[in-house]
Amino acid sequence: MDVFFWTYVWPALIMVGQSLLLLVCLLVFIAFILLADRKVWANVQLRRGPNVVGPFGLFQSFADLLKFVLKEPIIPSGADKTVFLLAPLVSVTLALATWAVIPVNDGWAVANINVGVLYIFAISSLEVYGVIMAGWASNSKYPFLGALRSAAQMVSYEVSIGIVIVTVLLCVGSLNLTDIVYAQKTGLGTMLGMPNSFLDWHWFSLFPMFVIFFISGLAETNRPPFDLPEAESELVAGYMVEYSSAPYMMLMLSEYAAIMLICSLTTILFLGGWLPPVDFWLINWVPGIVWFLLKVVMVFFGFAMAKAIVPRYRYDQLMRLGWKVFLPLSLGMLVIVAFVLKLTGWAG
Amino acid sequence: MGLQALFFYLFAFVAVASAFMVISARNPVHSVLFLIVVFFNAAGLFLLTGAEFIAMILLVVYIGAVAVLFLFVVMMLDVDFAELKAGVLQYAPVGMLVGLVVAAELILVVGSSVLSPEAANSITMPIPNPAERSNTAALGDVLYTHYVYYFQIAGLVLLVAMIGAIVLTLRHRQNIKRQDISRQVARTPETAVEVVKVKSGQGL
């Protein structure tokens, strides 16, 4: 019994504890990120944004949470009840499950698995099911149209995201997320004779891919200017139209969890994860998680600004950008990077 | 070992049960959703055997792409499945035959590895020790180093199939408005705007 406890139960308990800690931190973080999103948007448009609940409106998201939980969930009579309620659950579970492999600091990952990147890619390719199921189960026209748009969009941009990730993996030689961050300790900057700095990270050596990844990330998470699935001026709120109270909150939460995931993936793949920007004792002394969070927030600020200042794409323009611009560009870049790595012998 | 067995039976049971639901569900969309559960559990089984790369690829390719396509088609089609199901007995013999063939092949493969476990080492590309070479790298060795020409030929065949499908279905319609981004970007005020002086009360 004792052996059983120490080999199975105890590690499981530790893992549950770690996961709970990560989830609680993540959800609180998302609550403030939601507020930041609205504040940035408001400031660009010379409005105040939420400013009533708490100082500077800081507790707005928690007030929203209470409102969502206390309201009555309404299920349309024509809806497929099981799938209708399953869809938000699937979305939120998948969106949170990807966080298991994200290393927020050196060694701070719930599961440090060898195929970390593939795991994230696999789980986030499943997220489209939450959308399709929600849209179909609502048994209504707007949600269905929104779901179809969203599914086509997510599948299209996954292709270029995949190729960008492959390019980064070529430079690293490992699918492990922690190894990807380690590989950015030295890079183009040190090759040019500079000390370890932010120039070593992949954003500098793979700059075009960084841009493609950022824009594809916007499209993949249905953020403006690619928010056609829920284009509120035409489809009201896309696949979420029929949802109310807690199920709606779950869909919303999974959307923001996916956005945070893309932000932290950008941080890990291109911005050096938890690595400090310059090699200086005072800066090295700051714990890695602070750098990680700062970078994530910085990428998210880019997302929020894109939402505030870029007008929405038309659907055919969106598809053209994905298939006719990003796919050839990223494929060409992949070939170039592979050739350079092979010819110079940097691939190892 | 006990935990692994537990998970094996969990995945296997859910996979078989949902496979049964795929063919017995009344709503075709539910069938596809159950099919996705089957794929998911198959990925879990692959993970248990240590084939992590194949498990993830199964998720990406089959669930992330192929099943989405299925779901699309099934949602869009307005087929009366009760009518289709009426002829199920008619196709039962063919289905049984296919099932028998697959079962026989499975027995042959599994049986040979049970009877002579050392047979796996005598194949041309023996499986490397997972502790030394991760299975992602091992698969890469086989596909991109030892059998790269066959891999390329397979890729070419697929490319030809893709181009064929595009050529067969592409219809370029004339006389409709199209957006040409490069032409739009190349426009200057000189080519786009004309400044005219209009006398009041006359118009152009």
Side-chain angles (χ1 to χ4, degrees), chain A residues 114 173 348, chain B residues 50-53 125-146:
Chain A
N114 273 335
Chain B
E52 58 212 12
F53 184 76
M125 291 296 306
I127 302 157
N129 185 4
E132 295 163 5
R133 198 109 173 98
S134 75
N135 63 61
T136 315
L139 275 172
D141 283 346
V142 172
L143 278 183
Y144 296 109
T145 307
H146 299 292

Side-chain angles (χ1 to χ4, degrees), chain A residues 22-33:
Chain A
L22 178 78
L23 284 186
V24 169
C25 293
L26 178 68
L27 293 182
V28 173
F29 190 61
I30 285 179
F32 285 108
I33 275 291

Side-chain angles (χ1 to χ4, degrees), chain A residues 59-321:
Chain A
F59 301 130
Q60 179 66 43
S61 298
F62 299 98
D64 285 345
L65 173 78
L66 263 183
K67 189 182 80 178
F68 281 133
V69 173
L70 294 178
K71 274 197 168 182
E72 181 196 0
I74 298 168
I75 302 175
S77 57
D80 188 324
K81 226 180 212 172
T82 332
V83 182
F84 186 81
L85 290 177
L86 207 60
L89 275 175
V90 167
S91 318
V92 86
T93 315
L94 289 174
L96 295 178
T98 36
W99 282 85
V101 295
I102 295 281
V104 289
N105 195 354
D106 199 356
W108 286 20
V110 177
N112 186 11
I113 60 175
N114 273 335
V115 286
V117 176
L118 264 183
Y119 171 80
I120 288 184
F121 194 61
I123 300 288
S124 55
S125 73
L126 302 189
E127 269 163 28
V128 65
Y129 283 109
V131 175
I132 301 187
M133 281 160 76
W136 176 78
S138 300
N139 197 11
S140 160
K141 286 193 186 76
Y142 285 167
F144 193 57
L145 280 175
L148 288 185
R149 281 186 180 186
S150 179
Q153 175 177 339
M154 285 164 112
V155 171
S156 310
Y157 278 85
E158 227 155 61
V159 181
S160 47
I161 283 196
I163 293 172
V164 173
I165 291 179
V166 169
T167 321
V168 174
L169 295 181
L170 273 182
C171 299
V172 176
S174 166
L175 291 166
N176 189 314
L177 288 163
T178 310
D179 288 348
I180 291 176
V181 176
Y182 278 141
Q184 297 177 64
K185 274 190 170 166
T186 55
L188 199 58
T190 41
M191 263 176 218
L192 295 174
M194 271 173 276
N196 290 342
S197 70
F198 59 94
L199 292 179
D200 293 334
W201 304 340
H202 286 141
W203 71 269
F204 188 52
S205 47
L206 298 171
F207 188 71
M209 300 310 252
F210 176 56
V211 176
I212 292 179
F213 190 80
F214 182 79
I215 300 176
S216 304
L218 288 175
E220 174 77 12
T221 52
N222 297 334
R223 285 283 294 187
F226 306 109
D227 62 336
L228 292 148
E230 49 167 306
E232 52 276 271
S233 50
E234 31 183 310
L235 288 183
V236 195
Y239 59 94
M240 300 183 196
V241 174
E242 305 288 349
Y243 281 87
S244 52
S245 80
Y248 173 77
M249 183 191 67
M250 284 182 181
L251 284 177
M252 196 73 186
L253 182 67
S254 65
E255 205 165 81
Y256 272 85
I259 292 166
M260 281 295 92
L261 182 85
I262 288 282
C263 289
S264 26
L265 209 56
T266 317
T267 305
I268 290 169
L269 292 178
F270 291 100
L271 297 176
W274 63 81
L275 299 176
V278 282
D279 195 14
F280 181 64
W281 66 270
L282 190 68
I283 284 179
N284 285 337
W285 174 78
V286 175
I289 182 143
V290 174
W291 292 122
F292 186 84
L293 285 179
L294 271 180
K295 288 169 188 174
V296 169
V297 169
M298 196 186 80
V299 177
F300 182 77
F301 181 70
F303 270 54
M305 284 305 275
K307 175 177 182 170
I309 58 184
V310 186
R312 185 181 294 134
Y313 265 56
R314 218 170 49 212
Y315 200 72
D316 62 314
Q317 292 171 327
L318 171 94
M319 283 297 164
R320 176 187 164 273
L321 187 71

Side-chain angles (χ1 to χ4, degrees), chain B residues 86-100:
Chain B
V88 73
L89 276 181
Q90 193 185 336
Y91 299 110
V94 183
M96 297 253 275
L97 190 71
V98 173
L100 261 179

